[in-house]
């Protein structure tokens, strides 16, 4: 044992402990050396490629044949798929921001917030049409203008100023709609999705007049461009000659899924209600759905798959003609663990079984 302080010291405990320490260090040293020698194959640095090849790079001929088949398919009679995406003024940094990364079998893609689009995204408008036959549409949004008008009116109230007049409301909506729809020619879109979710009470009648008046003028100047009406179409006066022509000339009327429309029966009720003032023969319906997102993790209304099944089931309806569906927030459908654009691809396959997405 080690002596108490002040006692005569023996060197036995010192040498024994010292030798133990030295022995442990030697064992550790040889263990590390053996590990390095035995594992030399996997610790050797290698240059690895982390960039997966695109189909056009790995199999150019096969990809070219695939694109030819996609374009041919879009010239056949089939149920349409319309996808919504967000525009960006900055360089796209994720795949859902690219038109070329949307599902190949999508017939139309509409771009929301199409203000000051980045040049790379603009170039894809032509590219996606030439390579896949997919047409890109401008989204003209009544709701965005109404939000801006409401904010201005609230500011007037806070400042003790009088509310805007009907004439001012009409002029404001006309100016803002014109600013949106000018992007049609600026970026080379194939047409527009006109989203009108409003009514005609109070100044809203003048808001509608300012908004739809610009749309009607655009339609007169661009009679061959695609036009799709979306929203509360029953609040667009079908008795007005200009509005009637707008509805009659629209390729489709897009009815937006609500929380209660989760079955074919409920979808039928909603479609009939929204298009109540439109003659049956003019009811060319596309039913718009959504998919869960980070902001809204629960499904709202019908899923794309349920809506796709509804399209097939109601093909012989005497009240309307279902032409397909839309996924309004298709960009949120990209991030699926099992498969990118899982819901949209499944819906396309349901509506058009010959298509393998």
């Amino acid at each position: 044992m080690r002596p108490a302080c002040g006692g005569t010291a023996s060197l036995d405990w010192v040498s024994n402990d010292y030798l133990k320490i030295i022995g442990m260090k030697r064992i550790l040293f040889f263990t590390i050396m053996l590990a390095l020698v035995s594992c030399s194959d996997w610790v050797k640095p290698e240059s690895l490629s982390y960039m997966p090849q695109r189909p056009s790079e790995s199999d150019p001929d096969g990809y070219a044949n695939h694109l030819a088949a996609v374009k041919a398919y879009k010239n056949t009679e089939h149920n349409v798929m319309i996808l919504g995406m967000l525009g960006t003024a900055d360089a796209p940094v994720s795949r859902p921001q690219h038109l070329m990364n949307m599902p190949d079998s999508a017939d139309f893609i509409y771009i929301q917030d199409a203000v000051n689009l980045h040049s790379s995204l603009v170039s894809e408008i032509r590219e996606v049409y030439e390579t896949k036959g997919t047409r890109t549409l401008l989204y003209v949004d009544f709701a965005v203008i109404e939000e801006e008008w409401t904010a201005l009116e609230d500011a007037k109230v806070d400042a003790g100023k009088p509310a805007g007049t009907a004439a001012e409301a009409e002029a404001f909506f006309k100016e803002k709609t014109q600013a949106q729809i000018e992007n049609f020619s600026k970026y080379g879109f194939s047409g527009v999705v006109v989203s009108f979710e409003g009514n005609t009470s109070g100044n809203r009648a003048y808001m509608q007049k300012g908004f739809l008046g610009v749309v009607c003028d655009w339609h007169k100047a661009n009679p061959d461009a695609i036009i799709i009406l979306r929203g509360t179409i029953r609040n667009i006066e079908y008795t007005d000659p200009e509005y009637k022509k707008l509805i009659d000339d629209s390729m489709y009327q897009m009815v937006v899924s609500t929380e209660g429309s989760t079955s074919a029966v409920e979808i039928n009720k909603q479609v009939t209600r929204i298009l109540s003032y439109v003659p049956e023969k003019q009811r060319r319906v596309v039913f718009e759905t959504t998919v869960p997102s980070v902001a809204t993790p629960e499904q709202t209304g019908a899923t794309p798959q349920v809506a796709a099944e509804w399209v097939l089931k109601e093909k012989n309806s005497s009240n309307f003609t279902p032409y397909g569906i839309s996924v309004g927030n298709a960009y949120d459908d990209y991030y699926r663990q099992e498969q990118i654009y899982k819901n949209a691809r499944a819906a396309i396959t349901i509506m058009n079984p010959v298509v393998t997405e």
Side-chain angles (χ1 to χ4, degrees), residues 140-142 145-146 148-149 165-182 203-218 242-243:
V140 181
D141 195 356
F142 178 90
I145 304 173
E146 186 175 29
E148 189 175 350
W149 172 260
T165 65
E168 289 172 339
E170 181 179 343
F172 182 86
F173 274 76
K174 182 176 181 179
E175 176 188 353
K176 296 298 180 178
T177 307
Q178 187 63 44
Q180 285 191 34
I181 212 162
E182 284 176 354
N203 278 357
R204 284 174 172 265
Y206 297 93
M207 297 174 184
Q208 182 194 64
K209 184 178 179 181
F211 179 77
L212 292 179
V214 171
V215 173
C216 289
D217 289 341
W218 168 85
E242 288 196 342
Y243 297 168

Side-chain angles (χ1 to χ4, degrees), residues 153-170:
E153 290 297 285
D154 289 344
K156 288 179 181 179
V157 172
D158 294 341
K161 296 180 180 179
T165 65
E168 289 172 339
E170 181 179 343

Side-chain angles (χ1 to χ4, degrees), residues 256-277:
V256 183
S257 179
T258 61
E259 189 172 349
S261 56
T262 56
S263 68
V265 173
E266 292 162 340
I267 293 174
N268 286 344
K269 291 179 180 178
Q270 185 181 353
V271 168
T272 304
R273 184 175 68 254
I274 291 298
L275 300 177
S276 57
Y277 300 122

Side-chain angles (χ1 to χ4, degrees), residues 5-176:
C5 291
T8 303
S10 170
L11 293 178
D12 291 344
W13 69 270
V14 175
S15 58
N16 288 339
D17 287 351
Y18 179 76
L19 289 173
K20 287 179 181 179
I21 293 171
I22 293 299
M24 290 175 64
K25 286 185 175 181
R26 286 178 178 174
I27 292 170
L28 180 61
F29 173 77
F30 285 114
T31 301
I32 293 173
M33 290 301 294
L34 287 171
L36 289 175
V37 172
S38 63
C39 299
S40 60
D41 289 342
W42 59 264
V43 298
K44 181 180 179 182
E46 287 187 36
S47 177
L48 300 176
S49 174
Y50 292 98
M51 293 298 292
Q53 284 189 311
R54 296 174 178 272
S56 57
E57 298 169 336
S58 60
D59 185 7
D61 292 338
Y63 186 62
N65 292 335
H66 165 72
L67 291 180
V70 167
K71 293 180 73 174
Y73 153 74
K74 290 179 184 178
N75 288 323
T76 65
E77 185 176 344
H78 63 278
N79 296 304
V80 301
M81 171 60 84
I82 304 175
L83 303 177
M85 67 174 287
L86 298 175
T88 176
D90 301 320
V93 294
S94 63
R95 290 188 180 275
Q97 291 181 304
H98 288 280
L99 289 162
M100 288 294 292
N101 282 321
M102 286 288 189
D104 294 346
S105 297
D107 296 278
F108 303 95
I109 302 171
Y110 64 79
I111 299 182
Q112 303 175 51
D113 302 324
V115 179
N116 299 321
L117 290 180
H118 191 269
S119 58
S120 62
L121 183 54
V122 174
S123 67
E124 289 186 36
I125 293 176
R126 172 175 289 185
E127 183 183 6
V128 76
Y129 177 70
E130 292 179 346
T131 58
K132 302 179 183 180
T134 304
R135 287 173 283 188
T136 309
L137 310 175
L138 169 68
Y139 191 80
V140 181
D141 195 356
F142 178 90
V144 168
I145 304 173
E146 186 175 29
E147 287 177 7
E148 189 175 350
W149 172 260
T150 301
L152 290 173
E153 290 297 285
D154 289 344
K156 288 179 181 179
V157 172
D158 294 341
K161 296 180 180 179
T165 65
E168 289 172 339
E170 181 179 343
F172 182 86
F173 274 76
K174 182 176 181 179
E175 176 188 353
K176 296 298 180 178

Side-chain angles (χ1 to χ4, degrees), residues 207-236:
M207 297 174 184
Q208 182 194 64
K209 184 178 179 181
F211 179 77
L212 292 179
V214 171
V215 173
C216 289
D217 289 341
W218 168 85
H219 179 48
K220 290 176 186 175
N222 301 275
D224 296 328
I226 296 167
I227 185 165
I228 298 174
L229 296 180
R230 173 189 183 276
T232 50
I233 298 167
R234 64 177 176 177
N235 291 333
I236 300 176

